[in-house]
Amino acid sequence: AGHDWVLELRAEVVELLESDRQRGLDTFAVRHRQEHFGPNQLTPRKGKSPLVKFLLQFKNPLIIILVIASAVTAVLKDPLDATVIFGVVLINAIIGYIQEARAEQAIAALSKTMTAEATVLRSGMTARLRAVELVPGDIVQLSAGARVPADMRLIAARDLHVAEAALTGESLPVSKDILDVLPRETVLADRKNMVYASTLVTSGTGTGIVTGTGDQTEVGRISQLLS
């Protein structure tokens, strides 16, 4: 986790991930990595009831002070000021509740983009597997119309274009290449030698080695930030 794969040569990436470009991972390595890294899916967030989520909007020192101020003002027989203060607190709570609900919907939507299948090379044989079964080091083949199942460093590409709007906001598909090394400061949108989970292959073909799964992907990082 946290390794900057754009800085490594393709051959070094395969070596660091202890994989084999021609055969992929064997059964023992897959089983061991599945136990270590877990399934290739976003960790489900424990939900709270709507009432609890609304009440938690008031769990803030400033809000508590305003509620007390509203009560004191009401006792001092100034109902107009008390109503205004309480109204501000209530509006703030409603806005916070709506924002939290939207964030949860966004997380759910991100989770759905991770549910796909992938063409994987294992023990020298190509198989169609559920994306949730992928582990770092897996060799995955990409083709037009496929959703990228995990974060991957490209080791082969031919006229490969990927739609990355979900991650970068770039409206047009991005051309991908097998550039061996990119500068450390290269931003996500310009990392041509990488493809990322939940993005969509629009044309061409490619082969990548999985560098990150589940919460360790870029989309997983976004999910954690939303949480």
Side-chain angles (χ1 to χ4, degrees), residues 7-127:
L7 304 176
E8 306 287 353
L9 298 171
R10 280 174 296 157
E12 290 175 350
V13 172
V14 176
E15 184 177 345
L16 284 168
L17 290 168
E18 298 179 356
S19 188
D20 187 311
R21 183 171 174 175
Q22 304 302 323
R23 294 187 51 80
L25 298 173
D26 60 31
T27 303
F28 175 79
V30 170
R31 187 179 300 116
H32 174 73
R33 295 184 192 200
Q34 284 176 337
E35 292 174 356
H36 180 75
F37 293 101
N40 177 32
Q41 61 186 16
L42 303 184
T43 302
R45 309 297 169 183
K46 206 169 180 183
K48 305 181 186 75
S49 70
L51 178 60
V52 171
K53 284 190 288 188
F54 182 73
L55 292 176
L56 284 175
Q57 304 305 318
F58 296 91
K59 190 180 177 182
N60 180 297
L62 180 59
I63 298 300
I64 293 171
I65 291 170
L66 286 173
V67 170
I68 294 171
S70 176
V72 171
T73 305
V75 170
L76 294 175
K77 311 239 186 240
D78 195 345
L80 181 59
D81 285 352
T83 301
V84 170
I85 295 172
F86 184 75
V88 169
V89 171
L90 187 61
I91 290 171
N92 179 78
I94 292 171
I95 292 173
Y97 176 83
I98 293 172
Q99 288 178 328
E100 186 173 335
R102 286 178 176 172
E104 288 183 351
Q105 290 172 359
I107 292 171
L110 286 174
S111 297
K112 289 179 181 177
T113 65
M114 294 284 285
T115 57
E117 290 187 338
T119 302
V120 189
L121 179 65
R122 284 185 179 171
S123 300
M125 306 214 25
T126 301

Side-chain angles (χ1 to χ4, degrees), residues 29 39 47 53 123 133 146 178-179 186 198 207:
K53 284 190 288 188
S123 300
E133 299 176 44
I178 54 172
L179 299 168
T186 306
S198 83
T207 302

Side-chain angles (χ1 to χ4, degrees), residues 46-227:
K46 206 169 180 183
K48 305 181 186 75
S49 70
L51 178 60
V52 171
K53 284 190 288 188
F54 182 73
L55 292 176
L56 284 175
Q57 304 305 318
F58 296 91
K59 190 180 177 182
N60 180 297
L62 180 59
I63 298 300
I64 293 171
I65 291 170
L66 286 173
V67 170
I68 294 171
S70 176
V72 171
T73 305
V75 170
L76 294 175
K77 311 239 186 240
D78 195 345
L80 181 59
D81 285 352
T83 301
V84 170
I85 295 172
F86 184 75
V88 169
V89 171
L90 187 61
I91 290 171
N92 179 78
I94 292 171
I95 292 173
Y97 176 83
I98 293 172
Q99 288 178 328
E100 186 173 335
R102 286 178 176 172
E104 288 183 351
Q105 290 172 359
I107 292 171
L110 286 174
S111 297
K112 289 179 181 177
T113 65
M114 294 284 285
T115 57
E117 290 187 338
T119 302
V120 189
L121 179 65
R122 284 185 179 171
S123 300
M125 306 214 25
T126 301
R128 190 76 176 160
L129 303 175
R130 294 183 306 152
V132 72
E133 299 176 44
L134 293 181
V135 295
D138 264 327
I139 305 296
V140 179
Q141 297 175 1
L142 300 170
S143 58
R147 191 170 292 280
V148 179
D151 286 5
M152 297 190 289
R153 171 65 186 269
L154 289 172
I155 56 178
R158 183 176 180 181
D159 297 325
L160 186 64
H161 289 76
V162 180
E164 297 182 328
L167 289 179
T168 65
E170 177 60 54
S171 59
L172 297 176
V174 178
S175 174
K176 295 292 182 175
D177 205 341
I178 54 172
L179 299 168
D180 257 336
V181 177
L182 289 172
R184 185 185 299 275
E185 63 273 12
T186 306
V187 297
L188 187 67
D190 293 331
R191 296 193 164 201
K192 308 292 188 184
N193 59 6
M194 294 284 296
V195 289
Y196 297 98
S198 83
T199 58
L200 184 68
V201 178
T202 58
S203 63
T205 58
T207 302
I209 182 169
V210 175
T211 57
T213 58
D215 291 337
Q216 300 304 316
T217 61
E218 285 296 324
V219 73
R221 187 179 66 84
I222 292 173
S223 175
Q224 291 171 355
L225 290 173
L226 285 171
S227 296

